[in-house]
Amino acid sequence: MLKSKTFVKKTRSGGVMKIVREHYLRDDIWCGSEICTVCKQESTVLQKDSCIESDLCSSPHYLVPDTNVVLHQIDVLEDPLIRNVIILQIVLQEVRHRSAPVYKRLKDIIHEKEKHFYTFTNEHHRDTFIEREPGESANDRNDRAIRVAVKWYSHHLDTAESDGLKVVLITNDQGNKEKAEESGLLVYKCEDYIKSLLANPELVDRLALTNDETKDISSSKVLFPEHLPLSRIQMGIKSGTFLQGTFRASRDNYLEATVFVQGEGEDTTEVILQGLHNLNRAIHQDVVAVQLLPREEWVAPSSVVLLDEREAKDEDDTEEEEKEKAMKIIADDAARKPTGKVVAIIKRNWRPFCGMLNSSLIKESTRHLFTPADRRVPRIRIETRQAAALLSQRIMVAIDGWPRHSRYPHGHFVRSLGAAGDKETETEVLLLEHDVPHQDFSQAVLSFLPKMPWSITPEDMAVREDLRALTVCSVDPPGCTDIDDALHCKPLENGNFEVGVHIADVSHFIRPGNALDLEAANRGTTVYLCGRRIDMVPELLSSNLCSLRSNVERLAFSSIWEMDDKANIVKTRFTKSVINSKASLTYAEAQLRIDDANMNDDITNSLRGLNKLAKILKRRRIEKGALTLSSLEVRFHIDSETNDPIDLQTKELMETNSMVEEFMLLANISVAQKIYDEFSECALLRKHPAPPPSNYDILNKAAQSKGLDIHTDSAKALADSLDMAKVDGFPYFNTLLRILATRCMMQAVYFCSGMDSDFHHYGLASPIYTHFTSPIRRYSDIMVHRLLAVSIGADCTYPDLTDKHKQSALCNNLNYRHKMSQYAQRASVAFHTQLFFKSRGILNEEGFILFVRKNAIIVLIPKFGLEGTVFFDNKDKTGPKLVFDEAGPSLMVEQHTFKIFDLVKVTISLDDSNVQHQKIRMSLVEPEIPGVSVPVPEVGPMAKKPKLDV
């Protein structure tokens, strides 16, 4: 049966277009129930014995949730107890349009066979499709379509001798419920139905609160201004009255935030927000509309540390007003910046948050405050009957709303993650908080892996260059199993050298558009935590078939140069190849070979040739202005049985580290130029923007404190200044200066060549750059391999590869995943550092001051690559006299003045008084300041605390 759908659509030019679409109705869309004898279905999803024990419905039954139930109660639907659910096509379509994250979660549930969720295509079934009536809203039409489908199911299963099986409509819409009851349908409110379930009473905690319920648990006093409607916001943004930007809460001050407003090109404006009223219920990473305050009300960023640790109150109490006044007083004499207030939330960034429960002081209360692990997110009020069991657990909570009458947003319990402090639990928390995809690879993804045993076929050899005879070897960190790259160097008869960088040919195994490719594109990067690796691709590829291990044949993508003895490139070529690595070496092993005069085998001679050329390449790069920066990286030695860190050391770099780096850089630059020459509009490149001059303020002040000048007009000027920055009797000064310079840099980003005009890589002083050399762990490199393969005729193109808009969207995801991966790695190092110091008691170490604040100094301990803060004020007692000079910057504590790079001696210990936010605490030992310094501790493990008699 054929029907037509007619609707009008507004065109870009402002006109109106009438669109008519054919709509087919069918008789062969089956119900999906195994109890049915009418439908001629080959397989079924809905079970015959659908028994969920309920006080409301004692008969076996199927559930049909409406759109709002799916959107707001997805946490409930994911519970294993909820099975045999019919998801109507109209519901699925509405969810897809209104919430992409919920739609993905719903699709995942539908694909879980044990959940028995069935999608019924009601919009194309002859008996369930309905026309929209004159004057009927789209929402009312969809509600009616859901009721019609439920009625059809009830009648259809009755005729199939279903032994009393019922079909239950679940809704929270009172109007929809009343109309369903008038039609004789079995219908319940979601909350009533969940409360009736006997098998899992805790499921009630996972119910999201409705708007009516959030009003019930708020005070009557209005605490926040009302958000403006979207229509006014759109007009205001267009006229310039309002600004749109991303809300970024302060980690150290819960009464302050910044909104980053994107201007033309790469220009951004920062708008400061101070005070609860001006923050107006925005949450970190929300997209908001802000209105600038009059210029006389502008303030400067506050340097006060304020954590929201008070008791839960909804009153606008005087304590908070005093804190806001203190911030403004401090800002009076400082440089003012644009200041504003949030007038509307354009796009919420609500997600499930990890954290811990704060038990209510009221006995038997079910309402409690939840403190998120991320200090930038406000505390959340939830209702739970499991508070006693959850107090020592890490849990997940989702936000349901934030009424104007409530000091805190309202939410609901999602699930428990495990005991706080447990390694597995804390790792799960940091992965979830940094949005790192870490679930097991699905069967759909694994189905695209090559069948084992795998070997290189004659067809592969026919289209590749056979380089198996070359003396190729890899050089990597110890324990590396995902070996992306290998190298070779051999002398030629004409006196030149042939140098090759051979990269794992991952794109041979991952073909565009399949489930494996889509999963790798979503993950974006492999994430390396302490003692754990979250792969971008399945282990069969990452540690086996793609890994360039020694003495096995592997597929590679090779970049081969002919160079003279001055490292000048005579010729460059790229080829798909087959290699057989002769050795998998660590950096230390390769260095020993180079340094050992008694070793003269082919591998060692190849390494010496590479090392000699690499030194020339590095010198030439530095002469062009490439920066040599510094950051202290640490390596943990892990106990093989307990997996606890037993030693902590900073990583030492050798010549071989630099050798490998130079040839990876050369390969990346060579490939970048090649793919840009071939694909000027869609090459995937990487750039490093030059920092704005203000970024160098702290570097300049640090150098001037030692009587030195740093020139930052260009990368070359900065590199030369850093090379000449030396202080007699202070050999570590230059390293400290380079560490500070690293903090001044911008983030390097991926971009599509057709969407940008500035390609320059500031740090490398290269006009063009990309990533080619690590396709096992970076998806960007897989895309670059595909572009390069097409450019040399080794593979065919496909539409998405040459679509610059899709390339640009992909780059945005890769930049996000790369940034979150870095944050997750730092969080893992911080957690393992805490574990290391947990059993060390109080240690006494020397360090250097990196930053000076108004009430503290931030100290770097080179031995451990560790930074910590020494505070000089104490909220429990009167602190010492502090005088801060921002121009220095310097801080006078009593009679002693602290400046950047001063040598100090501190105690290091773990402060675990707050289970969720454990931190390394430092206290000053030297210089000795009466009333401030602490005595030198006795070195040794901390004694076990005596058990208390209860």
Side-chain angles (χ1 to χ4, degrees), residues 721-944:
S721 296
L722 289 173
D723 287 341
M724 292 185 289
K726 292 180 175 60
V727 174
D728 292 339
F730 192 175
Y732 201 66
F733 171 77
N734 192 265
T735 302
L736 288 170
L737 208 59
R738 291 181 192 275
I739 289 172
L740 266 193
T742 305
R743 310 287 175 91
C744 302
M745 294 297 119
M746 303 289 284
Q747 183 77 41
V749 291
Y750 297 108
F751 69 101
C752 176
S753 59
M755 305 291 282
D756 208 325
S757 56
D758 177 20
F759 294 6
H760 190 74
H761 197 293
Y762 180 81
L764 297 174
S766 176
I768 194 166
Y769 191 67
T770 193
H771 273 163
F772 164 75
T773 55
S774 296
I776 294 177
R777 61 183 180 91
R778 291 189 304 233
Y779 188 78
S780 55
D781 303 51
I782 293 177
M783 292 301 293
V784 169
H785 277 226
R786 290 173 180 168
L787 289 163
L788 183 61
V790 174
S791 69
I792 65 170
D795 207 342
C796 53
T797 187
Y798 57 98
D800 284 6
L801 190 68
T802 53
D803 185 327
K804 66 180 181 181
H805 297 286
K806 289 188 176 179
Q807 285 276 45
S808 187
L810 173 65
C811 288
N812 290 339
N813 180 60
L814 295 180
N815 290 329
Y816 170 72
R817 292 295 188 203
H818 182 71
K819 179 174 69 175
M820 298 314 285
S821 164
Q822 288 182 316
Y823 291 163
Q825 287 163 215
R826 290 174 197 166
S828 180
V829 168
F831 174 63
H832 279 75
T833 302
Q834 291 166 9
L835 287 179
F836 174 75
F837 283 104
K838 194 170 190 176
S839 59
R840 296 299 184 283
I842 303 176
L843 299 183
N844 185 25
E845 295 292 342
E846 285 189 339
F848 297 97
I849 297 175
L850 264 190
F851 301 101
V852 177
R853 300 287 185 244
K854 289 191 176 182
N855 62 342
I857 54 174
I858 295 167
V859 178
L860 173 72
I861 310 296
K863 179 178 176 181
F864 297 128
L866 176 70
E867 281 181 41
T869 306
V870 177
F871 288 99
F872 294 115
D873 56 356
N874 191 328
K875 59 185 177 183
D876 299 327
K877 62 181 182 180
T878 305
K881 180 185 175 185
L882 304 178
V883 180
F884 179 68
D885 177 13
E886 194 170 0
S890 66
L891 177 66
M892 181 181 286
V893 181
E894 296 297 343
Q895 300 302 313
H896 186 89
T897 302
F898 292 98
K899 295 180 179 178
I900 293 178
F901 297 165
D902 281 359
L903 180 67
V904 294
K905 191 169 280 188
V906 296
T907 62
I908 309 169
S909 60
L910 177 67
D911 177 2
D912 57 2
S913 56
N914 183 329
V915 178
Q916 174 157 247
H917 294 123
Q918 296 187 27
K919 57 190 175 186
I920 301 297
R921 181 174 294 281
M922 291 187 183
S923 299
L924 186 70
V925 175
E926 292 179 9
E928 290 186 31
I929 303 174
V932 175
S933 301
V934 298
V936 178
E938 293 181 15
V939 179
M942 195 174 358
K944 290 186 177 178

Side-chain angles (χ1 to χ4, degrees), residues 423-625:
K423 280 198 291 293
E424 290 297 320
T425 303
E426 297 303 327
T427 300
E428 178 75 5
V429 167
L430 75 86
L431 290 171
L432 289 167
E433 281 296 292
H434 295 99
D435 195 18
V436 174
H438 59 286
Q439 68 279 7
D440 291 339
F441 289 101
S442 68
Q443 284 304 313
V445 170
L446 298 176
S447 68
F448 285 95
L449 293 174
K451 302 295 180 284
M452 297 299 287
W454 174 87
S455 62
I456 298 172
T457 65
E459 290 77 16
D460 292 328
M461 294 299 302
V463 293
R464 291 174 179 269
E465 193 168 337
D466 188 350
L467 303 180
R468 289 175 294 182
L470 288 176
T471 306
V472 173
C473 67
S474 61
V475 185
D476 291 283
C480 178
T481 60
D482 52 343
I483 303 173
D484 288 285
D485 54 88
L487 307 112
H488 89 272
C489 175
K490 71 171 187 179
L492 299 175
E493 291 180 358
N494 61 3
N496 290 341
F497 295 90
E498 180 185 273
V499 176
V501 167
H502 311 277
I503 305 301
D505 190 4
V506 182
S507 62
H508 172 85
F509 297 96
I510 301 180
R511 302 308 296 165
N514 66 26
L516 178 56
D517 181 49
L518 296 175
E519 180 67 22
N522 177 48
R523 294 189 177 214
T525 180
T526 293
V527 181
Y528 296 90
L529 306 180
C530 301
R532 183 177 173 189
R533 186 181 82 202
I534 293 96
D535 282 325
M536 182 184 78
V537 298
E539 191 176 18
L540 178 64
L541 296 182
S542 66
S543 295
N544 188 352
L545 302 185
C546 291
S547 184
L548 304 183
R549 302 184 301 181
S550 56
N551 302 312
V552 288
E553 294 179 358
R554 287 290 179 257
L555 303 180
F557 209 151
S558 300
S559 177
I560 300 173
W561 305 271
E562 182 181 335
M563 292 181 175
D564 63 20
D565 59 358
K566 301 289 191 298
N568 296 307
I569 298 172
V570 178
K571 195 187 299 180
T572 304
R573 65 188 180 92
F574 306 100
T575 180
K576 293 262 186 164
S577 61
V578 178
I579 66 167
N580 188 323
S581 174
K582 302 302 182 285
S584 299
L585 306 173
T586 66
Y587 290 115
E589 289 168 346
Q591 191 67 55
L592 284 171
R593 280 176 174 266
I594 292 170
D595 296 340
D596 189 345
N598 295 319
M599 296 191 74
N600 287 293
D601 56 277
D602 290 346
I603 295 171
T604 304
N605 288 331
S606 177
L607 288 169
R608 286 180 183 140
L610 290 165
N611 196 39
K612 178 185 172 185
L613 293 169
K615 288 178 180 178
I616 300 171
L617 290 171
K618 183 173 184 176
R619 187 174 67 248
R620 194 175 294 154
R621 271 197 317 109
I622 291 171
E623 286 170 357
K624 288 181 180 177

Side-chain angles (χ1 to χ4, degrees), residues 3-184:
K3 285 187 172 285
S4 63
K5 279 187 173 181
T6 306
F7 58 94
V8 291
K9 180 181 176 183
K10 192 174 181 180
T11 64
R12 286 185 178 179
S13 58
V16 175
M17 181 187 296
K18 182 178 180 182
I19 296 176
V20 180
R21 285 184 180 163
E22 293 178 338
H23 190 81
Y24 290 91
L25 300 181
R26 301 171 58 164
D27 298 316
D28 59 349
I29 295 173
W30 315 128
C31 69
S33 172
E34 65 182 18
I35 205 170
C36 180
T37 55
V38 178
C39 294
K40 300 171 184 176
Q41 47 204 357
E42 293 180 4
S43 61
T44 56
V45 174
L46 301 166
Q47 294 172 295
K48 187 175 185 178
D49 182 22
S50 175
C51 288
I52 301 179
E53 292 185 70
S54 164
D55 286 341
L56 287 176
C57 185
S58 56
S59 305
H61 54 276
Y62 297 152
L63 301 176
V64 183
D66 71 3
T67 305
N68 282 322
V69 168
V70 174
L71 282 169
H72 298 116
Q73 308 297 348
I74 189 70
D75 290 321
V76 171
L77 294 177
E78 285 178 329
D79 192 275
L81 182 68
I82 307 299
R83 300 189 307 276
N84 293 292
V85 177
I86 300 164
I87 301 295
L88 300 177
Q89 177 193 3
I90 188 67
V91 171
L92 196 64
Q93 287 173 341
E94 274 198 275
V95 169
R96 183 180 184 182
H97 290 143
R98 289 170 61 180
S99 174
V102 173
Y103 177 73
K104 183 181 183 305
R105 290 170 70 181
L106 181 59
K107 292 288 283 184
D108 289 342
I109 299 173
I110 292 168
H111 288 139
E112 285 184 48
K113 290 184 179 180
E114 60 273 14
K115 289 283 286 176
H116 301 281
F117 272 51
Y118 179 67
T119 307
F120 179 67
T121 318
N122 65 299
E123 291 293 273
H124 289 279
H125 193 289
R126 185 193 294 270
D127 296 329
T128 57
F129 172 76
I130 60 167
E131 299 273 11
R132 185 171 165 185
E133 295 176 350
E136 185 178 38
S137 71
N139 189 55
D140 288 344
R141 182 263 169 202
N142 291 346
D143 284 346
R144 186 161 61 90
I146 292 170
R147 295 195 297 272
V148 168
V150 172
K151 191 166 188 175
W152 177 86
Y153 253 104
S154 299
H155 176 72
H156 178 75
L157 293 178
D158 272 348
T159 61
E161 301 176 3
S162 60
D163 295 329
L165 191 141
K166 307 290 185 185
V167 180
V168 178
L169 173 61
I170 303 294
T171 182
N172 280 326
D173 185 327
Q174 185 60 34
N176 194 21
K177 183 174 183 289
E178 289 171 0
K179 289 177 181 176
E181 288 170 337
E182 289 171 9
S183 301

